[in-house]
């Protein structure tokens, strides 16, 4: 092992045995006491603090991440989140006492936060530590045993987790299983009480199908194309910086990276001019030499992105070069992109940023809601050229030109065809534009006048909707995700209470009916 870890334990690789072992620990009540949970969480915190350099090094090996990005997005993020869980746990586990009505005046009405049992956490490779270990801390905080499956594509991080976790956490109740699709398929044949999956939508469906067999509840943190709408009132310099940062951090391999921009042609030109200046300042004349720009995870993903750049050659406004030997794709901005372009078909997940010109917020809304080749495309514009553009250049079943009065009614008719994004980004100084977009689009979350930063707000649950996922976590919601709210009515044997409720017993008389 090259990560400075001595005395590593043998890998626990028999999938069925591992799950059985975790279940046994859960059934023996090992994981339930709050004292055990806090001890494990403190051990996990010590693991982070004592292995910061090893984590940074593993991330450098997998993604050639800069130290700054690794600390900011994974190591410090995990440490801060875990400290908060440890700080709040004793409060969170306390049973809730909801309001009760007159009939239950003498009773106790309580909601307990029950562990589910054995949880499975499956991670992705793009933030291979944060997205794996944050839910693991939630599972432990909730009193569950947990099986951890790191992504096989981030090999150094997977090895780090497999070698380090057994040294700090209870080996009976927290078990790491390494491997790819084969091992995950084997894992999914086992019975779990909760499955928390982070990854692509197609594999998310496989996980969901497997969960259905045992009616296992799931959180699916999936992907999709997260759009950015920039209107003409936005501060273009600040907007461009915030969008570029969210897009190019981790070389665009971020589930909530801005996927594409919707704005007017006028704003598109201003954005491109600002971007050239900013990218030069950030990464210098040769971004490939910059220590701050990450690389693509593997050759398969590199080839996928290279093909997208090659297919967009006539639309490149910034960047466009690549180097297969270095898995480097230059930060690339495409202009005048249309819905039918190859780049608009799937989540990009790399450093390519297309701009789709639109006339106004209405068109942006429609574009967001009607992606994925809808049956009908509704165009709302007073300008003839916009009608022609949409008629000629979209792949919908038909085009319908309407006025804005019909807009909301028409929008409802296409609800069923939407692929809802994980995040929707809006840059505008206009409250009217914001409320139009908030009211008329559906996405996992929204971030206004910035990108990615909503993730750092502990009180905002993070998750998708529709194709971008099921469920959410972060802050207290992570604890809630891994606990079942068990509702309980506790009555006593008081004669007064019994008298109050005596009307429910037969023989029934109409006199007891109060309607
Ligand atoms: P992926 O779906 O390819 O892999 C995720 C996990 O599934 C891995 O652990 C992998 O081993 C396992 N897996 C792969 N093939 C499998 C199969 N056939 N059967 C069972 N399990 C299988 O995702 P990825 O490539 O690691 O990550 C990229 C995707 O994840 C993007 O779509 C991105 O948007 C999404 N993502 C979402 C979030 C979020 O929080 N919503 C975060 C990060 C990534």
């Amino acid at each position: 092992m090259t990560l400075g870890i001595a005395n590593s334990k043998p890998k626990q690789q028999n999938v069925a045995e591992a799950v059985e072992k975790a279940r046994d620990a859960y059934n023996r009540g090992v994981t339930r006491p709050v004292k055990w949970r806090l001890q494990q969480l403190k051990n996990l915190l010590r693991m982070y603090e004592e292995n910061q350099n090893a984590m940074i090094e593993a991330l450098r090996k997998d993604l050639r991440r800069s130290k700054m990005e690794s600390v900011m997005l994974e190591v410090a993020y995990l440490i801060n989140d875990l400290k908060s869980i440890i700080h709040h746990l004793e409060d969170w586990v306390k049973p809730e006492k909801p309001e009760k009505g007159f009939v239950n005046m003498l009773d106790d009405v309580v909601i307990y936060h029950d562990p589910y049992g054995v949880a499975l956490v499956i991670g992705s490779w793009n933030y291979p530590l944060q997205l794996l270990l944050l839910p693991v801390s939630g599972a432990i905080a909730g009193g569950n045993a947990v099986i951890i499956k790191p992504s096989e594509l981030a090999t150094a991080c997977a090895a780090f987790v497999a070698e380090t976790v057994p040294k700090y956490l209870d080996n009976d109740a927290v078990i790491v299983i390494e491997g790819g699709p084969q091992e995950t398929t084997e894992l999914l044949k086992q019975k779990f009480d909760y499955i928390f999956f982070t990854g692509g939508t197609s594999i998310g469906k496989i996980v969901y199908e497997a969960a259905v067999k045992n009616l296992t509840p799931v959180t699916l943190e999936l992907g999709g194309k997260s759009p950015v709408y920039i209107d003409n009132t936005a501060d273009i310099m600040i907007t461009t910086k915030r969008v570029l940062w969210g897009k190019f951090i981790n070389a665009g391999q971020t589930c909530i990276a801005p996927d594409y921009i919707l704005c007017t042609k006028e704003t598109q030109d201003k954005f491109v001019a600002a971007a050239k200046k900013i990218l030069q300042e950030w990464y210098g004349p040769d971004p490939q030499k910059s220590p701050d720009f990450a690389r693509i995870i593997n050759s398969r993903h590199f080839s996928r992105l290279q093909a997208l750049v090659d297919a967009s050659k006539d639309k490149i406004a910034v960047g466009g070069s690549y180097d297969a030997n270095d898995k480097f794709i230059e930060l690339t901005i495409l202009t005048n992109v249309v819905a039918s372009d190859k780049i608009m078909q799937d989540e990009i997940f790399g450093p390519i940023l297309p701009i789709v010109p639109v006339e106004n917020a209405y068109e942006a809304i429609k574009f967001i809601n009607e992606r994925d080749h809808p049956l009908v495309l509704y165009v709302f514009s007073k300008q003839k050229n916009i009608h022609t553009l949409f008629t000629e250049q979209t792949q919908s079943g038909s085009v319908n030109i309407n006025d804005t009065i019909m807009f909301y009614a028409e929008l409802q008719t296409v609800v069923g065809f939407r692929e809802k994004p994980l995040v929707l980004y809006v840059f505008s100084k206009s409250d009217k534009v914001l409320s139009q977009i908030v009211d008329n689009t559906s996405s996992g979350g929204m971030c206004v006048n910035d990108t990615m930063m909503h993730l750092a707000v502990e009180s905002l649950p993070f998750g998708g909707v529709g194709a971008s996922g099921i469920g959410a976590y972060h802050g207290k919601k992570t604890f809630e995700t891994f606990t079942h709210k068990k509702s309980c009515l506790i009555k006593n044997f008081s004669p007064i209470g019994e008298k109050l409720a005596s009307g429910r017993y037969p023989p029934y008389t109409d006199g007891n009916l109060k309607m």
Side-chain angles (χ1 to χ4, degrees), residues 9 12 18 110 169 182 286 298 319 333 346 351 396 405 430 499:
K9 296 200 173 191
Q12 174 80 51
V110 190
L169 300 183
Q182 197 188 331
D286 184 357
N298 61 20
I333 300 177
D346 291 308
S396 58
I405 297 164
S430 157
K499 193 156 192 325

Side-chain angles (χ1 to χ4, degrees), residues 24 30-31 38 49 98 133 176 197 248 269 274 297 309 343 472 501 512:
D24 180 58
V30 171
T31 62
L38 279 172
E49 287 172 342
L133 296 173
V176 182
F197 171 82
F248 294 132
D269 294 345
I297 184 78
V309 174
I343 194 84
N512 289 337

Side-chain angles (χ1 to χ4, degrees), residues 14 257 417 421 471 487 499 511:
N14 185 315
F417 305 109
S487 298
K499 193 156 192 325

Side-chain angles (χ1 to χ4, degrees), residues 402-458:
N402 267 307
D403 64 39
T404 51
I405 297 164
M406 289 295 289
F407 179 70
Y408 297 107
E410 302 288 8
L411 203 58
Q412 296 310 314
T413 67
V414 294
V415 159
F417 305 109
R418 299 183 198 175
E419 289 293 13
K420 298 174 183 182
L422 190 56
V423 195
L424 173 57
Y425 294 112
V426 180
F427 287 78
S428 172
K429 284 182 183 158
S430 157
D431 289 344
K432 193 173 157 221
V433 167
L434 287 184
S435 64
Q436 269 171 2
I437 294 187
V438 170
D439 290 349
N440 292 289
T441 58
S442 176
S443 56
M446 278 188 75
C447 181
V448 176
N449 296 335
D450 209 337
T451 63
M452 310 250 297
M453 297 308 289
H454 59 300
L455 215 76
V457 184
E458 209 182 284

Side-chain angles (χ1 to χ4, degrees), residues 118-193:
V118 182
L120 169 64
V121 176
I122 304 175
S124 67
W125 53 262
N126 59 333
Y127 291 86
L129 298 175
Q130 190 228 116
L131 297 173
L132 180 75
L133 296 173
L134 205 146
V136 166
S137 55
I140 295 171
N144 303 279
V146 52
I147 301 285
I148 308 174
K149 213 300 286 176
S151 170
E152 74 285 9
L153 300 188
T155 46
C157 287
F160 167 81
V161 170
E163 300 269 343
T164 318
V165 163
K167 291 186 187 152
Y168 288 85
L169 300 183
D170 185 325
N171 284 223
D172 288 340
V174 184
I175 300 170
V176 182
I177 296 285
E178 284 185 274
Q182 197 188 331
E183 289 75 10
T184 318
T185 305
E186 205 45 45
L187 268 172
L188 291 171
K189 287 182 192 158
Q190 315 300 315
K191 183 179 187 309
F192 287 97
D193 304 297

Side-chain angles (χ1 to χ4, degrees), residues 253-273:
Q253 301 164 110
T254 304
C255 57
I256 50 166
D259 190 274
Y260 63 97
I261 294 175
L262 296 162
C263 63
T264 61
K265 285 207 173 202
E266 186 193 341
T267 300
Q268 171 179 269
D269 294 345
K270 287 186 190 160
F271 184 92
V272 170

